[in-house]
Amino acid sequence: MKTLLCKATAALALFAGVAASSQAGSLTYQGVTFTSTWSGNLLTLEIDAANRSGDWLEASSIGALQLKDLGSFSDVTLVSAPGLATDWTLSSNELNANGCAGGAHAGRSLCFSGERVALADNMVFQFSFSGGAPDLEAPHLKVNFFGEGDRKVGSLLSQAIAPVPEPQTYAMMLGGLGLVGWMARRKRKQA
């Protein structure tokens, strides 16, 4: 019974560590990967659009993005962005098919839009937050992609980006692997 309990505990620890680490702060939708990382009050969003597929296959540019479910903040600054996105305008409105034109969520959401930026591999946007209590772990992302001219392409993405695993998750996974190895070695010695 004790051996069965040890095996179950090890398997559960290993599964929990692997399941949590597989999230890795990424969201992939129609071949486009969105990765968010944060350090202190700085949120970095990387967009890898090199392998677009599905409805976004014909997309050639991005014209707006929104991050919401960010806790609360009093100010946000677009620190860096690709190309002309450095001149994008900040709004607290909801991103919809017409750009940042939906209802306002001041201090909890940001929507940047402006001159369209060509889609590419490794597009990096960095946002700096101040005041309030920002929660940058699992931002909800919305983006508008465009084809040639003003033609909107595909559906408006609206999904949360999974949080990056904590160091404790990796420690739990390594502990589970160690326990499984120890049990296998012990079983070989008994046989």
Side-chain angles (χ1 to χ4, degrees):
M1 182 68 169
K2 185 177 180 183
T3 303
L4 182 61
L5 182 58
C6 285
K7 285 182 181 180
T9 302
L12 183 60
L14 180 63
F15 174 76
V18 170
S21 65
S22 67
Q23 295 177 2
S26 292
L27 164 67
T28 299
Y29 185 78
Q30 295 192 24
V32 179
T33 300
F34 304 90
T35 305
S36 68
T37 56
W38 66 95
S39 177
N41 68 338
L42 188 67
L43 175 66
T44 302
L45 174 67
E46 182 178 342
I47 302 174
D48 178 359
N51 300 310
R52 304 181 284 291
S53 63
D55 291 347
W56 289 351
L57 187 59
E58 300 298 319
S60 59
S61 64
I62 182 172
L65 67 84
Q66 178 185 21
L67 294 168
K68 60 184 193 173
D69 299 339
L70 299 172
S72 65
F73 56 90
S74 58
D75 192 34
V76 63
T77 304
L78 181 59
V79 177
S80 67
L84 296 173
T86 56
D87 296 329
W88 280 6
T89 304
L90 170 65
S91 171
S92 62
N93 291 345
E94 186 83 15
L95 179 61
N96 61 26
N98 298 314
C100 299
H105 303 281
R108 297 180 322 213
S109 169
L110 62 90
C111 188
F112 278 96
S113 63
E115 196 71 32
R116 293 189 186 92
V117 178
L119 286 177
D121 188 14
N122 299 324
M123 300 174 70
V124 177
F125 295 82
Q126 287 189 314
F127 307 91
S128 177
F129 294 84
S130 62
D135 179 5
L136 308 178
E137 284 189 20
H140 188 102
L141 174 69
K142 294 177 98 173
V143 294
N144 267 351
F145 285 140
F146 293 85
E148 297 303 316
D150 288 338
R151 185 175 55 89
K152 293 180 185 93
V153 175
S155 57
L156 176 71
L157 172 73
S158 182
Q159 294 189 25
I161 299 177
V164 175
E166 301 273 332
Q168 300 91 307
T169 301
Y170 293 111
M172 185 171 36
M173 181 179 73
L174 290 174
L177 284 172
L179 188 56
V180 168
W182 175 79
M183 288 177 13
R185 183 175 178 205
R186 185 171 170 230
K187 188 173 183 176
R188 274 192 306 240
K189 282 184 179 182
Q190 289 176 350

